[in-house]
Amino acid sequence: MYFGLGVGDKRKRSTERLIATEVTAIPGVWIDIDIAGVGHKSERLPANINEAMAIVNSLPLSPSILVASGGGLHVYYLFKEPFELNTPEEKADAAWLVLGIQTMFKQKNLQYDIDATHDLSRVLRAVGTTNLKYNLPVQVIECSKYRYSFEDLEQYAAEPTITQISGTVTAFERRPTDRPAKCIIDNCKFIQHCRDNASILSYSKWLTMLTNIGRASDGVEVAHELSEPYGKYSIAETNKKLYQALELMNPTSCQYIQKVLGFEGCPTGDCGVKNPAGWSLDASKGKVFKVQDALVVIQNIVSITPEAVFSDETMTACGILYQYEPATFQSFRNNLRGKVQLREFDKTLKSYIPKKDNSFRMVQDGERPTLQESLPDCPVDLFIPSGYSFQEEGISVLVEDKPSALCPFPIVISKIFQDSSTTDQSFEISWKSGGYWHKLKESRTTIMNAAKLVNVGRGFPVSSGNARKYIQWFDALLKVNDGNFEIVTEHSALGWHGNVYSLITQNESVGAYGEWLRFTQEVRGNTYLRFVIDSSFAAPLLKFLNCRTYTVYIWKKSGSGKTAAGYVALSIWGDPDKLKHSFNATANNIMGKLAKNNHTLFVIDDKQQSEIPQQSISKLIMDLTNGEEKGRCNIDGSLKAQRKWNTVIYSTGEEPITTMNDKAGVRNRLLEIEGAPFDNENTAKAVYAWTKEHNGHAGRNFIEGVLQVGGQYIKELHQYYVYSIKVEFPDIPLPYIDALAVQATADDLAGQFVFGNDGCTMDVIRAIARDLATREENNDAERAKEWILSWLAQHQNKFYASSSGDTYGRFDANTAIVLAEVLDKALLDNGFSPKKLRKELAEIGFILTKQIKKGERLVTMFVWQMNGRGAQCYFIPGGAPNPALP
């Protein structure tokens, strides 16, 4: 059993260990000293523990802990407290210290071989276990109180030589077939730039150069040569940065060099490698140099003759091009027509075509090879999971110590997309087939579900037989590369995402902004149309104003341009046909769409086309203007993520959407306006084609202006209009005042940023406010009072002794005495709540109350028995119709 010397915050399986970049703290420094024995091949080892202790005594500091490992000594020098590695620089300093201390031991004991165990991800045998090589216990033989600071140890750290730097890197495998740095320098414009500007090179470019040039066969030496012209060059500092670049970093990519460093000297198109270090790879790791050399041979043929073509050099080059560059090969073969015998050429070629290496080399525990090291044209460079192989011929996995084919082609997760609104993820999957990389994007839940993955289609080579194998590979790839994937934030919902307002790519601007502006200004003189347009500009302002969602409902006979007004308002943001919605959907469906159209005018057109009953319409208005859905559970009982929105809703109809019995809560969330947005029906009809041709411009200008003036300005403007409207219209409900102030703010800002300060803001608000219900008209008790008086008049014949059938009560002078059971049922049938209304009706004096004593307390009675007996009744003074029936 082994334990990791470095600790980290990433969960690992028992068979996995941290990589150096995942280590977040180390307890101290360490050295592993092997003692000669059957299990060790080297003959240059201390013969016994006494000789091993002589090595330990090379450092004039006492060890904190000495452990007999069964085959040697583990020596620990612990810090006073764990050294936390929160930055790349701290990781580099820690790794450099461990390397420096181990280098000191090596330099003072040259007669012995001491293994390099300086990597931060190092694991050593755990105390209390058994070393099965020797059947000896791993045990502590000395434990002291000595603890050290970083500086205490740093003063004894030795500087590794240039040769030692090259030989001590453990993060990637050096191979005999690696090419010299000259291959990188000759082919990479960026490295040439670093060489030519070495004396003034920025730190970022210098470190980028080191991560690439250092991986060549002679890269460490050449890195020093390229760094030396810099005025503050030092061997020690360059060695330290080289070690960081090679041990703790991947070779910096061409994409980073171009997009982050801003280097513009790269050739147009793909140069054949993903990072400059790729130029030092030979054919055992990629095809770049085989193809490059083959092209040189073909291009150097001066005259096409049988002697030149059938030479061993030319045929070798043709075999390589046939294998790796079929299009180039075919072009060369076409040039041979009439000059050589093509049948003989094709026959000879067969023996020169390179055989593909179909052996699958499995990644072993502790190794960290990357996808691009195995396949240079792979679109992403990630670590290959332990127990897998990845190459041109496909992917294999180790099963019971034997390789088993997982899929017959290379396939990877090349990008992860994160939805900013829902945190849902999508994967970009890339696979190579027919010599080309193909891509598709699907949700994570689809990719990681075998049944769903089979149905992906679009050329993705998956079946029920191999879907689970793909998922096994994807899962291993995700785990070993946690934190290494490129995460792309997506906005599936419209509206604000932080300080960014998303219009979604489907809503790109179309047509001419000037043409849209000309037409809109012509028709915007209509107060109702202008108010609808203001609603569209108001939606993104709610974020700044802490105002709730509200609805603008315009009703009028057909042909008055109500729907056309919605099209004009939506054309501010994009294509109205893509943005409008319908009442013919479930409430859950509408709320889902609202959440995806946050801070953007939500148009539902029109009520008359809906089959939803009036009672459900009222409930829908309440649900939509709540701004969030009610909590819902998943099948497993867990709570679903709650969808939320904050916007303005616009809807239309041919009659009012509310009725007398709708509660004040519904009415106060609804600006219900009777009006015709267009004076000319033909103009209204022209809107549909016009908004299709010109849309998506004004919204961008408006948002730019909003961001420029800032939230505080918008709040102050809103408060100014709240005050102005309160002064002029003190009788309208406060929710109306708040919504009208938002509309006024939107009109004002739209004038500044879109229409050129055309004024009239308060004139528009006044015209609308005059049509809105007052607080008294929206009061539930007042409306119930009017309804009850109307009901009494309609059913007065049920209140006389001479009436046939059931009676509802009786009239006593001008007082209506109504059976409570009858009136309560009538109220309920018409959407009123009798229990809630009793107190409110009593407060306005519409029904009589009396108090009775129950024990020690007085109880107010809203209904009681007439003459102390019989059924419960309401007593309504003035409720008897006038004149009464005989």
Side-chain angles (χ1 to χ4, degrees), residues 2-23:
Y2 297 84
F3 76 101
L5 293 163
V7 298
D9 54 8
K10 292 189 181 298
R11 180 170 295 190
K12 296 287 183 178
R13 291 180 295 185
S14 60
T15 56
E16 296 179 317
R17 75 179 194 180
L18 294 171
I19 61 174
T21 53
E22 294 172 341
V23 173

Side-chain angles (χ1 to χ4, degrees), residues 521-769:
Q521 285 176 320
E522 285 180 6
V523 297
R524 194 164 167 260
N526 181 291
T527 297
Y528 301 106
L529 176 58
R530 181 163 178 156
F531 195 73
V532 176
I533 293 172
D534 290 342
S535 303
S536 196
F537 288 120
L541 300 183
L542 298 184
K543 170 197 173 183
F544 302 97
L545 302 176
N546 197 28
C547 294
R548 73 185 306 164
T549 296
Y550 62 89
T551 300
V552 173
Y553 179 81
I554 292 190
W555 64 279
K556 197 72 174 176
K557 66 180 181 179
S558 179
S560 55
K562 306 179 298 294
T563 301
Y567 269 67
V568 177
L570 287 177
S571 71
I572 291 168
W573 307 107
D575 184 348
D577 283 321
K578 294 179 180 178
L579 295 173
K580 70 181 179 68
H581 305 280
S582 168
F583 266 114
N584 282 326
T586 64
N588 184 51
N589 179 274
I590 294 175
M591 285 189 280
K593 291 176 179 177
L594 258 171
K596 285 187 173 291
N597 286 264
N598 202 13
H599 309 126
T600 308
L601 183 68
F602 192 81
V603 174
I604 317 178
D605 189 62
D606 81 41
K607 174 183 172 291
Q608 260 55 52
Q609 296 177 5
S610 168
E611 298 177 359
I612 304 175
Q614 177 60 41
Q615 204 165 353
S616 298
I617 288 284
S618 301
K619 183 179 182 304
L620 182 61
I621 292 170
M622 289 291 288
D623 289 342
L624 298 187
T625 51
N626 270 338
E628 61 182 24
E629 65 179 344
K630 294 178 180 177
R632 296 183 300 140
C633 288
N634 294 304
I635 295 175
D636 62 2
S638 61
L639 198 63
K640 285 187 176 181
Q642 195 175 27
R643 295 176 294 191
K644 298 182 179 183
W645 55 90
N646 187 207
T647 191
V648 179
I649 300 167
Y650 172 68
S651 188
T652 63
E654 295 179 17
E655 58 189 28
I657 198 169
T658 59
T659 60
M660 178 180 284
N661 53 1
D662 277 323
K663 299 180 180 65
V666 174
R667 292 171 171 269
N668 287 341
R669 302 179 188 203
L670 184 72
L671 299 179
E672 189 171 31
I673 304 159
E674 181 185 8
F678 279 88
D679 303 317
N680 185 297
E681 188 174 351
N682 290 329
T683 305
K685 289 179 178 178
V687 162
Y688 303 105
W690 167 77
T691 53
K692 189 76 174 176
E693 293 174 5
H694 308 284
N695 61 67
H697 300 279
R700 287 167 170 78
N701 284 7
F702 184 75
I703 294 299
E704 286 177 9
V706 164
L707 291 173
Q708 187 174 1
V709 299
Q712 187 58 38
Y713 173 82
I714 295 170
K715 289 176 184 177
E716 291 173 0
L717 192 62
H718 176 254
Q719 285 304 310
Y720 165 77
Y721 283 117
V722 167
Y723 175 79
S724 300
I725 296 167
K726 275 184 178 178
V727 169
E728 289 197 43
F729 300 94
D731 295 330
I732 65 175
L734 289 177
Y736 286 1
I737 292 174
D738 207 28
L740 287 173
V742 175
Q743 295 281 125
T745 304
D747 190 277
D748 192 316
L749 294 175
Q752 295 181 48
F753 308 142
V754 178
F755 299 109
N757 289 311
D758 54 354
C760 299
T761 295
M762 280 304 294
D763 290 344
V764 174
I765 300 304
R766 290 186 188 101
I768 298 300

Side-chain angles (χ1 to χ4, degrees), residues 311-385:
S311 69
D312 188 64
E313 183 182 40
T314 302
M315 292 307 298
T316 299
C318 288
I320 292 169
L321 294 178
Y322 176 89
Q323 180 76 281
Y324 297 116
E325 293 289 337
T328 304
F329 167 78
Q330 193 58 48
S331 176
F332 176 73
R333 186 180 181 279
N334 291 339
N335 289 334
L336 300 182
R337 293 183 183 278
K339 299 170 185 176
V340 299
Q341 290 290 329
L342 288 182
R343 184 174 295 179
E344 183 181 354
F345 172 79
D346 292 340
K347 183 178 179 182
T348 305
L349 179 68
K350 289 181 181 179
S351 61
Y352 284 92
I353 297 173
K355 292 182 179 179
K356 290 186 177 180
D357 180 10
N358 292 314
S359 62
F360 285 81
R361 182 183 176 279
M362 295 295 166
V363 175
Q364 304 300 314
D365 284 341
E367 293 183 329
R368 308 302 288 174
T370 66
L371 300 174
Q372 289 182 358
E373 287 176 8
S374 293
L375 197 57
D377 65 344
C378 182
V380 63
D381 201 17
L382 300 168
F383 292 120
I384 302 173

Side-chain angles (χ1 to χ4, degrees), residues 401-416:
D401 296 327
K402 294 181 181 180
S404 172
L406 192 142
C407 62
F409 48 82
I411 182 169
V412 294
I413 298 172
S414 48
K415 202 175 289 183
I416 297 177

Side-chain angles (χ1 to χ4, degrees), residues 282-304:
D282 76 336
S284 68
K285 292 190 285 181
K287 66 188 183 189
V288 173
F289 286 102
K290 278 188 174 183
V291 173
Q292 185 184 37
D293 294 342
L295 287 171
V296 170
V297 170
I298 297 300
Q299 290 165 0
N300 286 340
I301 297 177
V302 178
S303 176
I304 298 179

Side-chain angles (χ1 to χ4, degrees), residues 209-220:
M209 178 194 74
L210 295 184
T211 66
N212 284 283
I213 208 76
R215 284 170 162 77
S217 59
D218 58 348
V220 172

